[in-house]
Amino acid sequence: MSNILHVNLSSIGYLLDVPSTLSKPSKRWHLAFATIYCSRALHSLLNNPLSKNKSRKLLLSAPPFVVLDVKPQSGVLDIDQTSLTSLVKEKNLDQLIQLRGAEGVAEALKSDTKNGINGAVKDVARRKEEFGSNTYQRPPTKSIIHFVAEAFKDLTILVLLGCATLSLGFGIKENGAKEGWYDGGSILVAVFLVISVSAVSNFRQNRQFDKLSEVSNNIKVDVVRHGRRQQISIFEIVVGDVVFLKIGDQVPADGLFLDGHSLQVDESSMTGESAYVEVNTGLNPFLFSGTKVADGYAQMLVTSVGMNTTWGEMMSTISLDPNEQTPLQARLDKLTSSIGKVGLAVAFLVLVVLLVRYFTGNTEDGNGNHEFNGSKTKTDGIMNAVVRIIAAAVTIVVVAIPEGLPLAVTLTLAYSMKRMMADQAMVRKLSACETMGSATTICTDKTGTLTLNQMKVTKFWLGQESIEDSSSISTNLLKLIQQGVALNTTGSIYWEPSLSKFEFSGSPTEKAILSWAVLELGMDMERVKNNYSILHVEAFNSEKKRSGILIRKKAENTIHAHWKGAAEMILAMCSSYYDASGSMKDMDDVDRMTFEQIIQGMAAGSLRCIAFAHRQIPEEEHEIGEGLKKIKEDSLTLIALVGIKDPCRPWVRKAVEDCQYAGVHVKMITGDNVFTARAIATECGILGPDQSINNEAVVEGEVFRKYTPEERMEKVDKICVMARSSPFDKLLMVQCLKLKGHVVAVTGDGTNDAPALKEANIGLSMGIQGTEVAKESSDIIILDDNFASVATVLMWGRCVYNNIQKFIQFQLTVNVAALVINFVAAASAGEVPLTAVQLLWVNLIMDTLGALALATERPTKDLLAKPPVGRTEPLITNTMWRNLLAQALYQVLILLILQFNGESIFGVNKKVKDTLIFNTFVLCQVFNEFNARELERKNVFQGIHKNKLFLGIIGITIILQVVMVECLKRFADTERLDWVQWGACIGVAAASWPIGWVVKFIPVSEKPFLDHLKW
């Protein structure tokens, strides 16, 4: 018995000694087994019929129980975040081997390498709680205090504040606190009002840019959860997720390679190294967040998300800079500087004139007494007068410098970006908004942009026969087709039990072929996959236009090569074909020509032609391993041809016609063959009936590539369609067009389109089919992949430019009128009719409210009637000079009449006269704001009911003006006006409308106005 017990106890001791080399899951199983073993051993001892004394003695000498130190894990899952993070960051292969590879890690994370995580709401929430969410901390957004502080950095504002403070001090000292604070206090309040409005406006725009940044970072990622492949937001990815990666994708989190082929990753964003890194299950199964898939495809297991990744740590220190200066803003800065210099000169002259008149005793106070009487005048009075004169001069500078121009651009761009989001276009670079208005050529893709990207197999050929009934296909041929479809694909199939139907995932072409094979040919994808093992894969890309796979049949140990791709390219690789009965036949020249005619016939019907080919690898090549290194590309046997229909988008023809009407050439660049390309281009209106037979209008990429540089430059304008093009051909065309002076917009969706997107003046990537590489290289993302949205972006580009011109015309009218009236009045009467507070109020109306009203006009079809905006054309056109000079001249004339004859005309005192001048001046701007809505069209009220913001701002301006005149007498230095005087002010201001209407009948020359001044 003692021997038995000794054996049992030694066995228990051995069991309790858990080897340290075991993984955590294995340790837990080991301890559970030990617990069961010990309990059974003790139970057998207690029930063994030996002598009671011996058993009691033996049992008493041992403890009455066994304590097992089974420590529960601190978290829900069997592995901690620190281990996972260090595993990938340090590329620790030894640790990965200890964890039994990616499968062991998946097991520890309670995930499945095939079916992913459970995906229930509680499961996802638990993982987020334990491992964090896939978001990273952003630097704190700028508060409104920051923008207030920025506004205080303006030198003119600081000078005004200094003058206001001095005026406040001297005024209180001279007239007491009750009366003396008005002048200085009014200026202070007006300045703070201007600063507040400016700061709030900039703060709101900054918040909008932050929101756009969040939207642009919200990438859709393919994952499998509970066996179902689905798309989720990158922010919803959790540790344990199984993610599908393909060419052009951004790796959404740190993780481990599970399965895939030919995966190469661009880690330059992390390491700075431009060479691609191969990722596989052997030496390098580690994938890093933020890197890009350059080739191949794979599934990965997510091990770290958000701030636990290197990318997350790096991105948390980077914030989007909304202060990017666009070319238009740079041009406006120059314009602002030029106007500012003129304003500064006028202000200086006014300052000198006012000081001279004051110190020579030519100015009088409100009682008609001379303000300066030599030594009799108190120092405080002199200082107060000088400060008042300086404040008036500085205020003229404030009004003259059009600070509203940069604000107007920011408002216009921000508003346009917001509205363009609603119109399915997300702007990544501000400059693209305005550049699009200058676009002269659009190079567009076909698939998904001009077409719906809803593909369906409509034609099926075996040999030289069109097959209508799939039941007649021979068994061996059906198996070959199913192999080629099920194994040579990046798509997948999921049976949805609740809906009793299949769900197909992958690219539109892959989904079309998979649904055809399953629903028409009865393919069981899982069964086919289980019978074969994949040896090597060549993934599809837009240059090769084909994909290949090398497989081994498990039961027979035979190796087969399958190819799928563009029909004429696969056909060129074939030397034989299967006929409809399944017999293999050699392909002679006549057969090849017949197949070419079949392909051309399908292409002429706007079908995309895909071919399948096969070759069995001879046994002698198995042992050499030659077949395992490279897939055979010659002597293939053609299995089948399919034609896939992708209908044109509704309204795409109308969108193309709109672009052409707007003077923008539309060119289609596609990878499809020349017959499909010609058919689609004719259907969309890119090719006219006469051009369909014109060989110069349609060219293949290879032919274009082989032209000499001189030939390319000569023919590029005539080309409307480029078929069978590679990304390099697209880049070459963009370069040629730019050399010829075109402003080029290019659409692209593939990784290889990135160079052309970057080279173009405006890069437009596709939001649905576009890869992350393409999106990052683009300026604007077309969210619905629709060409009609491209045409909308074109309209918005012109609208941005047009809105800026409207505001320039409006502001310069005010500037010219304010400068002239103040200078003439100062030089002749020794005073300025508009006080500092009144000028600041006018400045507020112009800069902020005016910008907001005119910057938010929606685009109209009339914009398409004009030619593209030349990038070097003057900002202020002859039409604008005509409009603004007419209005400014009228305003100056009216205000000077009021200045010199206002008292006698209305029978009022000087104070009321000055109020009449101020009121008329402001109301002139209100009425002129309507004129500024249309630069050329005579009806300025057309569509005004659609712009509620414009009407609202006009209403607010009028209400505030009434308050300024009638209620804020001391603050605004005004007198109340009666109904007759208000009617006179409104009548004089309303005359701006008929004047504006008449002026537009005056023709203007094409030569820029300022060029007439050059000798």
Side-chain angles (χ1 to χ4, degrees), residues 931-948:
N931 287 327
R933 287 189 70 244
E934 296 293 342
L935 299 178
E936 295 180 32
R937 195 163 55 187
K938 296 176 182 66
N939 182 5
V940 296
F941 303 107
Q942 188 171 329
I944 198 168
H945 61 283
K946 294 178 182 176
N947 194 341
K948 303 290 192 296

Side-chain angles (χ1 to χ4, degrees), residues 577-653:
Y577 68 97
Y578 289 103
D579 63 13
S581 64
S583 303
M584 188 188 294
K585 293 186 176 181
D586 289 333
M587 188 185 297
D588 57 24
D589 291 340
V590 175
D591 292 325
R592 191 175 297 278
M593 192 174 292
T594 305
F595 282 117
E596 284 174 357
Q597 288 171 351
I598 291 169
I599 293 167
Q600 288 173 17
M602 285 196 285
S606 304
L607 300 184
R608 169 174 281 188
C609 309
I610 305 292
F612 295 90
H614 161 265
R615 180 184 173 184
Q616 185 168 337
I617 308 299
E619 280 190 34
E620 56 269 21
E621 292 182 18
H622 294 195
E623 296 177 16
I624 301 169
E626 186 183 335
L628 310 184
K629 299 287 182 184
K630 186 171 172 59
I631 306 173
K632 290 288 183 185
E633 296 185 10
D634 57 355
S635 303
L636 303 179
T637 303
L638 183 69
I639 302 172
L641 295 168
V642 294
I644 300 175
K645 181 69 175 175
D646 184 13
C648 280
R649 287 182 179 274
W651 316 116
V652 72
R653 190 181 185 93

Side-chain angles (χ1 to χ4, degrees), residues 810 841 845 849-850 852-854 857 922-933 941 944 947-962 993:
F810 171 68
W841 168 235
I845 294 172
L849 298 179
L852 200 57
L854 293 170
E857 288 283 345
V922 170
L923 290 175
C924 276
Q925 311 324 317
V926 172
F927 281 92
N928 192 38
E929 215 159 336
F930 286 87
N931 287 327
R933 287 189 70 244
F941 303 107
I944 198 168
N947 194 341
K948 303 290 192 296
L949 186 59
F950 180 89
L951 294 173
I953 286 170
I954 293 293
I956 289 167
T957 305
I958 292 170
I959 291 166
L960 290 174
Q961 180 62 17
V962 171
W993 286 349

Side-chain angles (χ1 to χ4, degrees), residues 654-681:
K654 176 72 169 61
V656 170
E657 286 170 357
D658 284 346
C659 290
Q660 291 168 340
Y661 175 65
V664 178
H665 303 287
V666 180
K667 298 179 187 295
M668 186 177 88
I669 303 177
T670 178
D672 281 337
N673 73 34
V674 69
F675 301 99
T676 306
R678 194 191 297 272
I680 292 288

Side-chain angles (χ1 to χ4, degrees), residues 72 92 178 220-221 261 306 378 423 651 775 789 802 845 866 880 943 958:
N92 194 330
K178 191 173 182 181
K220 294 295 180 186
V221 181
H261 298 279
K378 293 179 182 179
D423 288 340
W651 316 116
K775 289 176 188 175
S789 298
N802 197 45
I845 294 172
K866 302 174 185 176
M880 292 166 66
I958 292 170

Side-chain angles (χ1 to χ4, degrees), residues 6 13 16 57 87 106 130 143 200 206 248 288 391 458 472 508 534 620 636 655 723 779 813 831 863 870 899:
H6 177 74
L16 294 177
K57 187 177 178 182
L87 172 69
E130 187 157 342
S143 67
V200 168
N206 192 69
F288 294 96
T458 57
S472 62
I534 296 172
E620 56 269 21
L636 303 179
D779 305 305
T813 305
E831 61 179 15
L863 292 169
Q899 171 67 20

Side-chain angles (χ1 to χ4, degrees), residues 148-183:
V148 171
E150 285 293 312
F152 271 111
K153 291 179 182 177
D154 189 340
L155 181 61
T156 51
I157 292 291
L158 291 174
V159 173
L160 267 181
L161 285 173
C163 291
T165 307
L166 289 172
S167 178
L168 190 65
F170 289 123
I172 291 172
K173 187 175 180 182
E174 188 177 355
N175 301 314
K178 191 173 182 181
E179 299 290 330
W181 70 272
Y182 285 114
D183 285 348

